[in-house]
Amino acid sequence: MKKVVSEEENIRIDKYLSDNTEYSREFIQKLINNDLVKVNGNKTKASYKVNINDEIEIYAEELLEENNIEPTKMDLNIVYEDDDVMVINKPSGLVVHPGSGNYNNTLVNGLMYYTNNLSDIGGDARPGIVHRIDKDTSGLLLIAKSNKAHEVLSDDFKNKRVKREYIALLNGVFKSGSATIDAPIGRDKTNREKMAVTELNSKHAITHMKVLKRYEDYTLVSCVLETGRTHQIRVHMAYIGYPVHNDPVYSKDKATSFGQYLHSYKMTFTHPITKKELEFTAPLPEEFESFLNKIEIN
């Protein structure tokens, strides 16, 4: 549920939602036409202009479920698995779950082929998905197989009990040994596919960054998230003037199909059922490692 604040009012609801959600304006309009968006409990029209304190509910899952999300055979890199959880090392280029315009060849399709035992709290379109990482971000992702595990892990993520460490290669040579970026993140008003540091419609965001190694034109860093905003590391690094290398969205340089050099390297969490403390790491992707070797030699 989204609640409209004063500076957001008098905007068409289809535009408001496309600016403040992951969905396109076309998909939002489709939801509205199927009575899957409600304002203050009532059906609405795309032309409706939002008012302060409007409460907006979106039932996107019902439309996504109609698109026949099929199990797909896929090579999953499973780091850990038991009856309640899985830890996956996701490759760069793989979308986590079906969304507007993309219903096939996602990690969810692969998980559905691999097992019937996935939590259904997230709906049919997101079985097992407790959190996500960007399509072109590689590394560790935590999956819930049981509903009880999903409930506990969701609460753990919400209350920052799951610790995540990323490794990123930044453009430029960062002079200090470490930094903490405390800057709010919200939807970019000129490009809905991007996020930005902004005071408008934003959420608190903190990233702790530490230098691991400096190269002639790059800096390898570790990033620890205190919050989990969309594109957080990518937005924060670009904001301080050191964008993630090869980022097709937040770097001004031309990017290859591999996407941003950002890897979810380490994850530490308490098992939702056994309460055992678990920690996992995932090696850098081959392309990431090869590029580091190349700039080391040069």
Side-chain angles (χ1 to χ4, degrees), residues 40-60:
N40 304 320
N42 300 312
K43 299 175 185 177
T44 189
K45 295 181 179 180
S47 59
Y48 173 78
K49 293 185 177 181
V50 298
N51 296 304
I52 186 172
N53 293 326
D54 273 352
E55 293 187 347
I56 304 172
E57 296 171 283
I58 305 172
Y59 300 92

Side-chain angles (χ1 to χ4, degrees), residues 102-135:
N102 184 20
Y103 307 107
N104 300 304
N105 299 313
T106 71
L107 177 62
V108 159
N109 297 95
L111 289 170
M112 289 171 63
Y113 184 92
Y114 174 75
T115 179
N116 293 322
N117 297 318
L118 295 167
S119 72
D120 59 14
I121 288 177
D124 289 350
R126 303 187 187 189
I129 302 302
V130 183
H131 70 118
R132 62 184 180 183
I133 53 180
D134 298 337
K135 171 189 173 184

Side-chain angles (χ1 to χ4, degrees), residues 137-296:
T137 297
S138 57
L140 298 174
L141 193 74
L142 184 54
I143 304 296
K145 295 179 70 177
S146 67
N147 284 355
K148 177 61 177 177
H150 194 135
E151 291 172 355
V152 175
L153 290 173
S154 292
D155 188 66
D156 286 346
F157 272 101
K158 180 180 178 181
N159 290 287
K160 305 178 180 65
R161 291 189 285 265
V162 179
K163 307 301 180 184
R164 293 173 286 167
E165 180 180 343
Y166 291 73
I167 291 178
L169 184 67
L170 310 183
N171 290 337
V173 181
F174 192 79
K175 303 298 183 183
S176 300
S178 62
T180 293
I181 301 93
D182 184 347
I185 292 176
R187 187 71 59 178
D188 189 309
K189 289 301 177 184
T190 61
N191 183 349
R192 69 160 301 279
E193 295 182 357
K194 296 177 64 174
M195 306 300 288
V197 170
T198 175
E199 294 293 338
L200 185 64
N201 306 333
S202 58
K203 294 182 179 179
H204 187 53
I206 298 178
T207 304
H208 302 286
M209 185 258 278
K210 181 175 67 175
V211 171
L212 299 177
K213 189 170 185 175
R214 294 183 181 88
Y215 299 87
E216 185 176 353
D217 298 309
Y218 306 93
T219 308
L220 190 68
V221 301
S222 161
C223 292
V224 174
L225 297 175
E226 191 168 314
T227 54
R229 308 305 175 206
T230 300
H231 299 178
Q232 179 172 319
I233 292 173
R234 300 164 65 190
V235 171
H236 273 172
M237 296 304 104
Y239 176 69
I240 64 173
Y242 298 86
V244 177
H245 177 61
N246 208 51
D247 191 324
V249 178
Y250 298 101
S251 172
K252 295 179 181 178
D253 297 338
K254 187 175 181 180
T256 69
S257 60
F258 180 74
Q260 62 270 3
Y261 280 57
L262 179 61
H263 179 68
S264 177
Y265 165 70
K266 182 188 290 185
M267 180 180 291
T268 305
F269 63 97
T270 300
H271 191 284
I273 306 302
T274 68
K275 303 307 177 184
K276 181 180 179 181
E277 192 77 8
L278 299 175
E279 181 176 286
F280 301 98
T281 59
L284 292 174
E286 183 178 347
E287 185 159 346
F288 197 149
E289 195 70 61
S290 295
F291 188 79
L292 292 182
N293 291 336
K294 178 181 175 181
I295 60 178
E296 178 78 48

